[in-house]
Amino acid sequence: MNIKITSDSTCDLSSDLLEKYNIDIIPLHIEKENDMFQDGVDIFPEDIFKHVYAGGALCTTSAVNPDEYQLFFQSLVGQYEAVIHINLGSGFSSCYQNACIAAKDFANVFVVDSRNLSTGQGHVVMEAAVKAQAACSANDILKHLERIIPKIRASFLLDRLDYMVKGGRCSSVLALGANLLSLKPCIEVEDGKMKVGKKYRGTLQKCLLHYVEDKLEQRSIIIPERIFVTHTTINPETAKSVIDAVNQTKHFEHVYETDAGCTVSSHCGPGTLGILFIES
């Protein structure tokens, strides 16, 4: 079977993985001071952070519209037996709904709600791409994704809450209390939505190492094939300490470090890091 796997820019996979598995990406839109950009094309997380640090308003994100999806799918359908497009979770954006509208015009385009974000979504993309390279049928891939999606565990530890507050996803009272107590909240994806999990206290590096310890405590039920360590702009030594801690478990065949794109960066700010994996 000659099947094409595609996704939104929110899947946060590295360019190496996208190239290796022949995955095409369509970018979401980022608005900065009334100017519109494309995520990962002409705007990057460091541009957002520099803008906000200089006193600019928080950037906002918007979904790919149905016409854009239609053009995207049209460019691929003639080359492949099927196109499987994996969206940012429908609980976070209208991308999934818009892609479904566009896909109605094509008999061989199948749209999947990842019910996740960042490399939680990336895991779904990777699972589909591996199956596609193994010449599985579109139906078999879709059934596999249906089984895998509920087993993906995605979470991030936030260093700061001002981006969440500005974006309307966190109260200023909660942010003030967290800052006064040096708390770093863990944001978890559950049932396709974000919730606040455990709050850690101390320096970012100390909190991250405790967070990794907690998340990997039950690693016997975690599929060892891959884990993502995904972060926004962060001190390289801090990121390295997390990767070292993950590697020390000797559980995972592949530990992928990836950079969060503009969507996660716009909502979570710098110093955000998560580990994302699949349970058996």
Side-chain angles (χ1 to χ4, degrees):
M1 295 289 288
N2 186 22
I3 296 175
K4 182 69 170 179
I5 305 302
T6 64
S7 190
D8 304 323
S9 60
T10 48
C11 70
D12 290 345
L13 294 176
S14 67
S15 57
D16 289 346
L17 288 174
L18 295 176
E19 182 177 355
K20 179 179 179 180
Y21 291 97
N22 190 30
I23 300 162
D24 280 11
I25 296 296
I26 185 168
L28 270 72
H29 303 290
I30 308 295
E31 185 175 351
K32 184 178 77 170
E33 301 292 357
N34 299 318
D35 291 324
M36 199 65 73
F37 301 88
Q38 290 185 306
D39 182 7
V41 177
D42 52 10
I43 190 169
F44 301 90
E46 54 265 31
D47 301 318
I48 294 171
F49 297 147
K50 287 178 182 177
H51 173 71
V52 175
Y53 182 76
L58 191 69
C59 296
T60 58
T61 62
S62 59
V64 181
N65 65 49
D67 290 340
E68 290 170 315
Y69 276 123
Q70 187 174 55
L71 290 172
F72 181 64
F73 296 149
Q74 182 66 58
S75 69
L76 297 170
V77 290
Q79 306 172 51
Y80 299 93
E81 295 175 54
V83 175
I84 296 178
H85 183 77
I86 297 156
N87 276 114
L88 170 67
S90 59
F92 307 116
S93 166
S94 61
C95 281
Y96 172 69
Q97 291 87 342
N98 292 347
C100 287
I101 292 170
K104 290 179 180 178
D105 292 335
F106 307 99
N108 62 337
V109 174
F110 304 93
V111 179
V112 176
D113 180 358
S114 73
R115 295 181 60 79
N116 223 301
L117 47 72
S118 189
T119 44
Q121 177 187 353
H123 272 296
V124 185
V125 178
M126 287 286 290
E127 290 290 318
V130 168
K131 291 290 186 183
Q133 286 200 346
C136 293
S137 69
N139 189 52
D140 285 345
I141 294 173
L142 293 171
K143 286 182 178 178
H144 175 67
L145 299 185
E146 187 177 349
R147 292 192 297 268
I148 282 290
I149 286 172
K151 300 177 181 180
I152 294 171
R153 301 293 175 256
S155 61
F156 290 89
L157 197 72
L158 272 59
D159 184 36
R160 49 198 286 180
L161 288 174
D162 53 335
Y163 277 70
M164 281 278 191
V165 170
K166 291 176 182 178
R169 295 174 181 266
C170 171
S171 75
S172 56
V173 174
L174 174 60
L176 177 61
N179 289 337
L180 289 174
L181 297 173
S182 298
L183 296 178
K184 313 293 185 189
C186 176
I187 304 298
E188 300 177 343
V189 177
E190 189 173 289
D191 296 327
K193 299 178 180 179
M194 288 192 295
K195 70 168 192 175
V196 178
K198 183 175 178 178
K199 301 177 184 70
Y200 295 82
R201 186 172 184 176
T203 66
L204 178 60
Q205 183 161 323
K206 177 184 176 183
C207 291
L208 282 170
L209 293 178
H210 285 310
Y211 155 74
V212 170
E213 183 180 5
D214 286 345
K215 291 300 178 186
L216 301 185
E217 184 178 12
Q218 302 295 325
R219 56 184 172 274
S220 61
I221 64 171
I222 298 174
I223 294 175
E225 184 176 350
R226 84 180 77 85
I227 185 172
F228 288 108
V229 178
T230 301
H231 55 75
T232 63
T233 300
I234 196 169
N235 183 314
E237 289 302 313
T238 300
K240 182 178 182 301
S241 70
V242 171
I243 293 169
D244 288 345
V246 173
N247 281 325
Q248 284 169 12
T249 67
K250 301 185 184 301
H251 182 75
F252 297 97
E253 297 170 20
H254 300 286
V255 179
Y256 295 114
E257 180 182 7
T258 73
D259 295 315
C262 290
T263 302
V264 169
S265 296
S266 294
H267 295 300
C268 297
T272 297
L273 184 147
I275 57 172
L276 306 93
F277 49 83
I278 307 176
E279 291 185 350
S280 56

